Amino acid sequence: AGGNMEYLIEAPHELQVIGDYDVVVAGGGVAGVCAAIGASRAGAKTAIIERYGYAGGLATGGLVILLVGLSNNNKTLIKGICEEIIYRLEKTGSIRRVGPHVLFDPESMKYILDCMILENNIIPYYHCFVANTIGSEGWISGIVTESKSGRRVIKARVFVDATGDADIAKYTNTPFDMEKTMDLMPVTMGFRVGGINISKISDYFAQNPDKYIEILEKNGCSTKIGGWIQTIHNNEAWFNIAHVENIDITNIKHLSDAEIKGREIVQKLMTSLTKEIPGFEHGYLIDTNAQLGGRDSRRIKGVYRYTKNDYMKDFEDTIALNPEYTVTQRGYAKIPYRCLISPNSKNTIWAGR
């Protein structure tokens, strides 16, 4: 034992190998699904591991149902698999375009991602956590997973860590940065509300902007970020305002506290909004997000370290674009591939948040 912390030794035991692939993607958010589709289309035998029972991550379970900044002025920048997904959503009437942004229905997104995973011959392992890795000297031979089926191993030649929290980096001792808890961006309990008069509410907040801030502040919400917008359905809106600060999303105690606090804030907000805001009188809570909206956690120390001074720079190995979607329209960021790999890891790529 060390200090007041008790430790136990787990007896060594054999782990069943349940799959052997060319590529294994850890994390079934949108970034992970796109990585898996890309690998499979390139001819790799591919599997994807996801801790929940659905794909999409924060886009679906996190209710982050707005794809922002897909274009720069009138030029579409984000294409590829993202564009395929939007096209399929549009065919089912599951999106609403708002300028350069796209609102979508999260349940439709779950289904379409399932379809694309299966159509591309990717093997999904849902309800499965990354619990450890097997390997040495920067080379991983397998991921140890934890699930209702027990502790099992999935092997591969190449791994993509799209967990959002660089979980593989943790288990392989790959160097990463992590802000102090007090400096982390807030987490969010997103929620949807039905039965409201959108135009009436919008007009009221436009004429009384201080009232909106007042409601947020008196219910313990951060006013740094967030907002609300009508969903693809009439009389329904998505609220991205129930923020909880000083939360480390790699700490289960912090996560538990944030879940409870987030739901408390949502209930208080609903009470205030229905009592005080014209158009909200008959509003009802549809749902809260199944997984907290996290913005900040582990960031690997890549071969290249991107800083604010790199904004709008050109790189010979640019692998991603981040359009400027605010009113300033200053341009867009180009992200080099070297940010996604570590000098300490030989067969792992990091992707996503």
Side-chain angles (χ1 to χ4, degrees):
N4 296 321
M5 190 73 71
E6 182 180 6
Y7 293 86
L8 298 174
I9 296 174
E10 182 179 15
H13 55 280
E14 292 184 340
L15 299 177
Q16 179 188 4
V17 176
I18 58 171
D20 192 347
Y21 300 90
D22 297 317
V23 176
V24 166
V25 178
V30 176
V33 171
C34 290
I37 291 172
S40 182
R41 289 179 179 176
K45 182 183 177 185
T46 306
I48 190 165
I49 300 169
E50 168 53 42
R51 61 176 169 157
Y52 292 105
Y54 51 83
L58 290 180
T60 53
L63 289 183
V64 184
I65 57 175
L66 181 66
L67 292 169
V68 295
L70 300 176
S71 62
N72 205 59
N73 292 320
N74 295 320
K75 180 183 178 182
T76 300
L77 293 177
I78 308 302
K79 299 182 180 180
I81 297 171
C82 178
E83 197 169 49
E84 288 180 43
I85 293 169
I86 293 170
Y87 174 73
R88 294 178 71 146
L89 285 166
E90 192 163 32
K91 280 180 65 178
T92 62
S94 301
I95 70 166
R96 181 166 71 86
R97 294 185 183 272
V98 185
H101 318 306
V102 174
L103 271 161
F104 60 88
D105 174 67
E107 292 302 318
S108 299
M109 176 72 88
K110 288 179 186 177
Y111 172 66
I112 283 168
L113 294 179
D114 281 344
C115 291
M116 294 181 76
I117 286 170
L118 298 179
E119 288 166 7
N120 285 278
N121 301 310
I122 299 161
I123 305 301
Y125 292 92
Y126 286 170
H127 297 288
C128 209
F129 273 89
V130 174
N132 208 340
T133 59
I134 295 174
S136 62
E137 299 180 352
W139 186 270
I140 303 175
S141 58
I143 284 180
V144 179
T145 65
E146 193 75 69
S147 70
K148 290 287 187 180
S149 299
R151 208 168 168 86
R152 307 192 297 179
V153 176
I154 302 175
K155 296 173 65 179
R157 258 61 70 200
V158 175
F159 296 88
V160 178
D161 184 345
T163 60
D165 299 312
D167 287 348
I168 291 179
K170 173 192 172 184
Y171 293 120
T172 56
N173 295 316
T174 300
F176 60 82
D177 291 316
M178 181 84 178
E179 300 288 349
K180 293 179 181 178
T181 301
M182 63 182 293
D183 295 325
L184 292 168
M185 295 181 72
V187 299
T188 304
M189 179 68 72
F191 61 100
R192 289 185 292 182
V193 177
I196 56 178
N197 187 319
I198 301 291
S199 59
K200 200 171 182 181
I201 295 168
S202 298
D203 290 344
Y204 180 80
F205 280 145
Q207 295 166 17
N208 303 274
D210 291 343
K211 184 65 176 178
Y212 176 72
I213 300 299
E214 175 196 320
I215 286 178
L216 293 183
E217 289 181 339
K218 77 176 181 180
N219 288 294
C221 296
S222 168
T223 57
K224 296 176 184 175
I225 53 175
W228 69 283
I229 191 170
Q230 180 182 340
T231 70
I232 67 169
H233 305 294
N234 294 328
N235 308 314
E236 181 182 298
W238 165 57
F239 289 81
N240 187 36
I241 58 177
H243 309 307
V244 185
E245 297 192 273
N246 301 319
I247 297 297
D248 173 2
I249 59 175
T250 67
N251 181 311
I252 60 168
K253 179 63 168 66
H254 283 210
L255 278 174
S256 301
D257 292 344
E259 291 274 5
I260 293 169
K261 182 65 176 177
R263 283 189 282 273
E264 178 189 1
I265 290 173
V266 170
Q267 292 298 325
K268 288 180 177 179
L269 283 168
M270 286 299 299
T271 298
S272 295
L273 290 166
T274 52
K275 284 184 178 179
E276 301 176 38
I277 306 304
F280 229 106
E281 301 90 341
H282 305 294
Y284 58 89
L285 181 64
I286 297 173
D287 57 5
T288 57
N289 51 8
Q291 59 190 96
L292 277 172
R295 297 175 173 85
D296 230 350
S297 64
R298 306 183 190 105
R299 294 189 301 274
I300 67 156
K301 294 182 178 180
V303 171
Y304 188 87
R305 187 182 182 87
Y306 193 95
T307 71
K308 63 181 180 181
N309 296 324
D310 290 315
Y311 189 73
M312 293 183 69
K313 276 187 182 178
D314 290 320
F315 299 96
E316 62 181 16
D317 60 338
T318 294
I319 196 170
L321 301 177
N322 181 29
E324 168 59 69
Y325 58 87
T326 65
V327 293
T328 58
Q329 292 292 312
R330 294 175 298 166
Y332 53 90
K334 299 175 182 179
I335 311 300
Y337 173 70
R338 286 164 291 160
C339 288
L340 279 59
I341 54 175
S342 166
N344 301 81
S345 181
K346 297 174 181 174
N347 65 331
T348 304
I349 302 168
W350 280 263
R353 188 182 68 221

